[in-house]
């Protein structure tokens, strides 16, 4: 069986972590503005702009290092076996099996410029969360076309 090198993520966990990070960001911003009275020395728009740059940097870091994990996907008798390259506090299991019977819908997104498949979004019957499988930027997108044939 052929193994495919992909990027694994769960959009629901991404949304929750972004919402939590946003709340923390707003809390620190308000704390800086009103508790420490920094806005008497530095204009408020400068403080907000600096916080926004830091916030966007944190979101990109989280997206690259925590929210998306490289994996190897293999078609097995029981479904699609996902072997994560590493675990973290969001993805605690090293191996995940996506049962073919539990999959409700698989949609693919294509890049409009190259018309190559960028990622698959897998919806399940029995749970609300989804799984996103995409190809790494360093790999050739033809892997995604081959991978679509096994699903």
């Amino acid at each position: 069986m052929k193994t495919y090198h992909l990027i694994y993520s769960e959009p629901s966990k991404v949304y929750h972590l972004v919402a939590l990070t946003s709340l923390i960001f707003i809390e620190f911003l308000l704390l800086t503005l009103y508790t420490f009275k920094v806005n008497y020395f530095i204009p408020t728009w400068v403080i907000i702009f600096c916080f926004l740059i830091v916030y966007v940097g944190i979101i990109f870091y989280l997206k690259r290092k925590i929210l998306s994990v490289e994996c190897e996907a293999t078609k097995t008798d029981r479904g699609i076996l996902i072997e994560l390259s590493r675990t973290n506090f969001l993805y605690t299991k090293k191996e995940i099996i996506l049962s073919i019977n539990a999959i409700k819908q698989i949609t693919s997104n294509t890049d409009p410029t190259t018309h190559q498949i960028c990622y698959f979004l897998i919806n399940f019957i029995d749970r609300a969360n989804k799984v996103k499988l995409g190809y790494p930027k360093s790999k050739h997108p033809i892997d995604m076309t081959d991978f679509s044939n096994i699903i």
Side-chain angles (χ1 to χ4, degrees), residues 107-112 116-121 132 144:
T107 57
S108 62
N109 188 11
T110 57
D111 183 5
Q116 295 287 335
I117 298 172
C118 296
Y119 65 83
F120 292 100
L121 192 61
K132 182 178 175 182
M144 294 301 282

Side-chain angles (χ1 to χ4, degrees), residues 8-141:
Y8 176 88
S9 68
E10 294 180 23
S12 63
K13 290 183 180 182
V14 171
Y15 301 143
H16 291 134
L17 194 62
V18 168
L20 178 66
T21 307
S22 300
L23 289 175
I24 292 170
F25 166 75
I26 290 170
E27 181 181 338
F28 278 119
L29 180 62
L30 293 174
L31 186 70
T32 302
L33 288 175
Y34 296 112
T35 305
F36 298 123
K37 308 287 186 200
V38 176
N39 57 335
Y40 291 138
F41 308 109
I42 303 171
T44 305
W45 69 269
V46 172
I47 296 169
I48 292 173
F49 184 73
C50 291
F51 266 85
L52 191 60
I53 289 173
V54 170
Y55 175 71
V56 170
I58 288 171
I59 293 297
F60 276 116
Y61 176 78
L62 290 175
K63 176 89 171 95
R64 297 259 189 244
K65 298 296 181 183
I66 296 174
L67 298 173
S68 300
V69 178
E70 287 190 19
C71 70
E72 292 184 350
T74 309
K75 173 87 171 175
T76 65
D77 301 344
R78 300 182 344 210
I80 302 170
L81 173 66
I82 307 289
E83 296 178 81
L84 301 180
S85 63
R86 60 184 162 76
T87 60
N88 57 32
F89 67 95
L90 290 177
Y91 309 120
T92 56
K93 295 179 182 177
K94 190 92 167 159
E95 291 185 354
I96 301 165
I97 294 180
L98 306 178
S99 173
I100 297 295
N101 298 333
I103 295 175
K104 180 168 106 176
Q105 178 185 22
I106 300 174
T107 57
S108 62
N109 188 11
T110 57
D111 183 5
T113 57
T114 61
H115 301 292
Q116 295 287 335
I117 298 172
C118 296
Y119 65 83
F120 292 100
L121 192 61
I122 302 172
N123 297 327
F124 296 95
I125 295 171
D126 58 347
R127 54 184 172 161
N129 61 343
K130 301 173 183 178
V131 168
K132 182 178 175 182
L133 294 173
Y135 76 92
K137 299 294 182 204
S138 61
K139 304 291 182 194
H140 194 273

